[in-house]
């Protein structure tokens, strides 16, 4: 394989000249403005920028939760705009895991049951799902909390459940929106240790944060300003 072909095969997600315009009460808000980025296998990216710079819009687009007004998004070789709903949810399930600032756990379910939630959308149903969820709970340090409900856990423990849930379909990329935004400094460090370990094991991570010390744990920092890339640096 040529160096060029190998580099292309390494791209897990690619945003090409993307613009996102929100129409709001008769006037347009240009949240993303002709933005292009490639994310490579094994990347650990922090997306930074002041409030309103387009971070969440970009993450929603990467997560196929929203569509661009113009431009192209290619995920795992698929042009997302060309996929019907069923193909899109299959590609999303295979390529993406999500972690949110507010954990988004289901209060009535145990740790293991919460981790299993994305499996319910997979067809055919994967055998050995229960063991997989227990293994992931153990991986994130919750082996002693398998039957606990979210209200019986600390914030850091709840975020660990959310990370295990994001891993359950073995996605290529984890998308995280302010994953430490609700956590104290020591707990934030533990969660970043966990994300760094997952990245060391080969997982691609794209995380939004506005905290410089959290971004410092990433290997690549992209700063947005007015829906454009202000800087893109590997560290
Ligand atoms: P950030 O996450 O960096 O704070 P956002 O991506 O949320 O920025 O927002 C970028 C811009 O788009 C802001 O000006 C914001 O007000 C606007 N915006 C975001 N979502 C919407 C929406 N659903 N409708 C209208 N405007 C929006
Ligand atoms: Mg935001």
């Amino acid at each position: 394989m040529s160096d060029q072909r190998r580099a292309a095969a390494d791209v897990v997600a690619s945003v090409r000249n993307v613009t996102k315009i929100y129409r709001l009460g008769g006037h347009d808000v240009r949240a993303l403005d002709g933005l292009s980025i490639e994310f490579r296998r094994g990347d650990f990216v922090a997306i930074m920028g002041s409030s309103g710079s387009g971070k969440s819009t970009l993450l929603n687009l990467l997560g196929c939760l929203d569509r661009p007004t113009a431009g192209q998004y290619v995920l795992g070789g698929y042009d997302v705009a060309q996929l019907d709903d069923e193909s899109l949810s299959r590609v999303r399930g295979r390529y993406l895991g999500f972690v949110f600032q507010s954990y988004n756990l289901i209060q009535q379910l145990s740790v293991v049951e919460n981790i299993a939630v994305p499996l319910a959308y997979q067809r055919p149903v994967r055998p050995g799902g229960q063991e997989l969820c227990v293994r992931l709970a153990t991986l994130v340090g919750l082996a002693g909390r398998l039957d606990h409900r979210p209200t019986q856990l600390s914030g850091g423990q709840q975020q660990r459940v959310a990370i295990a849930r994001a891993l359950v379909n073995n996605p290529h990329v984890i998308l995280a929106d302010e994953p430490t935004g609700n956590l104290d400094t020591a707990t934030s460090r533990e969660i970043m240790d966990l994300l760094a370990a997952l990245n060391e094991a080969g997982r691609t991570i794209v995380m939004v944060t506005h905290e410089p010390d959290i971004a410092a744990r990433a290997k690549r920092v992209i700063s947005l300003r007015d829906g454009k890339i202000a800087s893109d640096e590997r560290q």
Side-chain angles (χ1 to χ4, degrees):
M1 216 192 304
S2 71
D3 282 355
Q4 206 175 351
R5 295 257 321 264
R6 191 173 299 115
D10 257 4
V11 173
V12 286
S14 152
V15 169
R16 296 176 188 162
N17 203 19
V18 156
T19 294
K20 176 71 187 182
I21 296 171
Y22 293 110
R23 303 244 135 81
L24 194 64
H27 80 281
D28 290 351
V29 178
R30 194 174 283 262
L32 297 176
D33 190 5
L35 186 130
S36 299
I37 322 178
E38 281 188 344
F39 298 97
R40 289 173 185 277
R41 190 176 312 158
D43 258 351
F44 185 3
V45 181
I47 297 174
M48 301 197 75
S50 54
S51 177
S53 58
K55 305 182 296 294
S56 295
T57 303
L58 176 59
L59 208 73
N60 288 342
L61 214 102
L62 293 174
C64 308
L65 303 169
D66 205 351
R67 288 172 184 277
T69 310
Q72 193 183 36
Y73 175 37
V74 178
L75 175 61
Y78 297 92
D79 180 347
V80 168
Q82 306 300 321
L83 300 176
D84 60 29
D85 286 353
E86 199 188 320
S87 313
L88 180 61
S89 61
R90 194 163 33 78
V91 168
R92 263 186 90 208
R94 176 139 49 97
Y95 283 90
L96 304 175
F98 295 88
V99 176
F100 304 94
Q101 176 172 358
S102 50
Y103 327 127
N104 293 6
L105 301 178
I106 299 175
Q107 300 302 322
Q108 295 83 352
L109 300 184
S110 69
V111 164
V112 169
E113 289 164 344
N114 265 289
I115 296 171
V117 164
L119 290 177
Y121 297 96
Q122 285 292 88
R123 292 287 178 276
V125 172
R126 179 197 293 227
Q130 171 80 9
E131 290 95 301
L132 170 66
C133 295
V134 170
R135 195 154 53 71
L136 287 172
T138 306
L139 175 78
V140 299
L142 294 174
R145 300 284 186 281
L146 300 179
D147 295 322
H148 283 54
R149 314 272 146 182
T151 51
Q152 299 169 311
L153 300 173
S154 69
Q157 288 170 331
Q158 291 185 62
Q159 195 58 305
R160 288 170 183 277
V161 177
I163 291 169
R165 179 184 57 189
L167 290 170
V168 80
N169 284 324
N170 197 23
H172 294 248
V173 183
I174 293 179
L175 299 175
D177 198 353
E178 302 267 6
T180 62
N182 287 350
L183 302 174
D184 62 69
T185 307
T187 310
S188 294
R189 192 174 304 130
E190 288 170 18
I191 291 297
M192 291 312 297
D193 289 343
L194 177 56
L195 290 177
L198 292 172
N199 175 250
E200 281 302 310
R203 199 82 54 172
T204 307
I205 299 177
V206 179
M207 152 187 92
V208 164
T209 182
H210 62 262
E211 298 168 78
D213 52 331
I214 295 297
R217 299 291 304 270
K219 296 197 290 206
R220 178 182 175 194
V221 179
I222 297 174
S223 293
L224 299 186
R225 189 188 303 135
D226 300 332
K228 294 190 178 77
I229 293 179
S231 66
D232 181 351
E233 284 167 5
R234 294 187 180 271
Q235 50 189 22

